[in-house]
Amino acid sequence: MIGKKIIESEPVSGAEVKEIIEEYSENNELNYEQNLTINHLARFKRYSVEDSKEILEKLHEAFPNMKAKVAVHIVDLVPKDLADLRLIFAKEAYQPNKEEMEQILEILEQYDIVE
């Protein structure tokens, strides 16, 4: 891509991506990749956009050392137990202890998953 440069990059949850693509599709035709993305996002259970944003805020406040992309993975993957969380943190520099992981699960349990 000659002449194009990424100015800013910010991880967003799957729920936000789905909402953005759906809004875009109201006025424009989706390309192949966008259709694949929307079909993929429709297959999985996830939190609503509002809940996703709230969870990300709470995770950032409770765990300032956690990278934003890891928090987004937590919201998108909806871990159910400590084993799932350990997999998310497997290759990360920040490794929460058992109590912190339980706190993450408690934050997630406060919200309902949208089918």
Side-chain angles (χ1 to χ4, degrees):
M1 296 197 307
I2 298 173
K4 294 189 178 185
K5 184 177 178 181
I6 297 173
I7 297 172
E8 185 178 349
S9 176
E10 177 185 344
V12 294
S13 69
E16 291 177 80
V17 171
K18 185 176 179 188
E19 182 180 76
I20 291 167
I21 293 176
E22 286 174 346
E23 287 176 11
Y24 177 80
S25 71
E26 291 174 5
N27 300 319
N28 302 290
E29 188 173 330
L30 298 179
N31 64 28
Y32 176 74
E33 289 83 6
Q34 292 164 333
N35 276 318
L36 281 178
T37 302
I38 205 81
N39 288 336
H40 175 78
L41 293 170
R43 290 183 185 168
F44 299 99
K45 298 176 182 177
R46 64 185 69 254
Y47 298 104
S48 68
V49 176
E50 298 81 21
D51 287 350
S52 295
K53 289 179 181 178
E54 283 183 36
I55 294 169
L56 289 172
E57 276 183 33
K58 285 185 178 183
L59 289 174
H60 180 68
E61 289 172 10
F63 308 98
N65 296 334
M66 185 187 304
K67 290 182 182 177
K69 73 172 189 153
V70 175
V72 169
H73 284 312
I74 291 170
V75 170
D76 284 344
L77 297 175
V78 191
K80 297 289 181 204
D81 55 22
L82 294 176
D84 292 345
L85 272 177
R86 282 190 192 98
L87 289 173
I88 294 171
F89 285 102
K91 293 186 176 183
E92 295 300 319
Y94 172 69
Q95 294 289 323
N97 58 36
K98 184 177 178 182
E99 292 79 26
E100 291 173 330
M101 285 199 235
E102 289 171 350
Q103 187 180 355
I104 292 170
L105 291 175
E106 288 172 13
I107 291 171
L108 296 176
E109 288 172 0
Q110 297 172 6
Y111 297 91
D112 295 325
I113 297 173
V114 178
E115 305 256 349

